[in-house]
């Protein structure tokens, strides 16, 4: 009986060691973002597009808080990573897709079935690319600190939500709803699965670097002044320019890298053309037609001719 009890205690200890702690607070923030994404889908189906967009923005806020909370409490776990990926797919993949589809169905009505079908196709492509982006990040890019490979799905979903708020606030015509929202979702979906680099911890380096202190302070002062003056009317005026600027930042890095590689190739080609031609050593060693005397072949030929004349008895 004593041996059985000892084995039982050992098994209990092993089970406890296998269990990993779960940060309840960080997981609660992640779940709150999931609830906001589900509420956004309900609001989009009911035709409340502004409310649906604001709920996606709220989900972004919760997504920004759960990671630092887990690091602050030193309780980063695999459970939290998987839960965060699933909630991101719902809040920033499915919720914006339902919003795009609801906008197209509302604008198409019962008369234009083609427009509704086009909206459904674009709404399907967006979350599929978001799922591929999250799977790639979970497998290959978790340890990368400097940049994201591809547009992050919260930025893509937030850009769509901010655009809907922007158009709704300024009461733009239907052309800006239908002709821009769908192609924008396709472009953002392509950027999610692309290899465009988007800054991650590089922003922290720029902010905390002392050499950029004065310029950063000046830019921050201007940005705060503009934000305060504009946000009195509505946050929708500020959100879309900020989101779209982050999207363009990755494209700027791609263009700069392409131009840099092109200039390096041009410099290498110029160095190759300006270099002097290199002759083969074997060509220098081959004897010419007038080099027979130096090797002794000419002397042998002359001596051979003289002997022949003497044998024939020809006069010299």
């Amino acid at each position: 009986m004593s041996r059985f009890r000892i084995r039982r205690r050992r098994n209990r200890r092993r089970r406890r060691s296998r269990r990993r702690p779960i940060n309840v607070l960080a997981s609660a923030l992640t779940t709150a973002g999931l609830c906001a994404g589900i509420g956004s889908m309900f609001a989009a189906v009911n035709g409340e597009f502004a409310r649906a967009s604001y709920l996606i923005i709220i989900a972004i806020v919760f997504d920004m808080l759960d990671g630092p909370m887990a690091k602050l409490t030193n309780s980063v776990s695999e459970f939290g990573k998987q839960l965060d990926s699933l909630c991101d797919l719902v809040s920033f993949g499915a919720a914006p897709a339902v919003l795009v589809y609801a906008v197209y169905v509302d604008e198409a009505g019962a008369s234009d079935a083609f427009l509704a079908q086009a909206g459904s196709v674009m709404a399907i492509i967006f979350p599929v690319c978001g799922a591929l982006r999250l799977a790639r990040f979970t497998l290959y890019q978790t340890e990368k600190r400097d940049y994201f490979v591809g547009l992050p799905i919260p930025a893509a979903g937030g850009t769509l939500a901010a655009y809907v708020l922007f158009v709704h606030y300024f009461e733009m015509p239907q052309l800006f709803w239908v002709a821009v929202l769908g192609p924008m979702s396709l472009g953002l979906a392509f950027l999610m699965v692309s290899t465009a680099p988007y800054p991650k911890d590089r922003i922290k380096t720029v902010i905390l670097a002392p050499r950029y202190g004065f310029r950063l302070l000046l830019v921050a002062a201007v940005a705060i002044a503009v934000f305060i003056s504009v946000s009195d009317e509505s946050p929708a005026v500020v959100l879309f320019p900020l989101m779209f600027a982050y999207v363009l930042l990755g494209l700027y890095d791609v263009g700069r890298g392409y131009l840099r590689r092109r200039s390096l190739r041009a410099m290498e080609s110029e160095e190759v053309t300006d270099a002097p031609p290199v002759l083969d050593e074997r060509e220098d060693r081959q004897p010419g037609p007038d080099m027979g005397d130096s090797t002794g072949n000419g002397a042998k030929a002359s001596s051979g001719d003289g002997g022949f004349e003497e044998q024939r008895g020809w006069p010299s």
Side-chain angles (χ1 to χ4, degrees), residues 30-42:
T30 306
T31 308
L34 174 63
C35 295
I38 296 173
S40 173
M41 289 188 283
F42 292 161

Side-chain angles (χ1 to χ4, degrees), residues 229-269:
S229 61
V230 175
S231 62
D232 292 337
E233 299 180 1
S234 176
V237 183
V238 183
L239 289 176
F240 178 67
L242 291 177
M243 293 287 186
F244 196 68
Y246 183 77
V247 173
L248 294 178
L249 186 60
L251 299 178
Y252 168 75
D253 288 340
V254 172
R256 186 179 63 177
Y258 173 75
L259 294 177
R260 184 180 299 176
R261 290 191 299 268
R262 188 175 179 180
S263 62
L264 289 176
R265 291 175 183 175
M267 292 175 61
E268 291 176 357
S269 62

Side-chain angles (χ1 to χ4, degrees), residues 186-205:
L186 294 179
L188 295 173
F190 173 76
L191 289 176
M192 283 192 291
V193 296
S194 67
T195 57
Y198 281 87
K200 187 178 180 182
D201 288 348
R202 192 175 65 182
I203 298 178
K204 298 179 182 179
T205 304

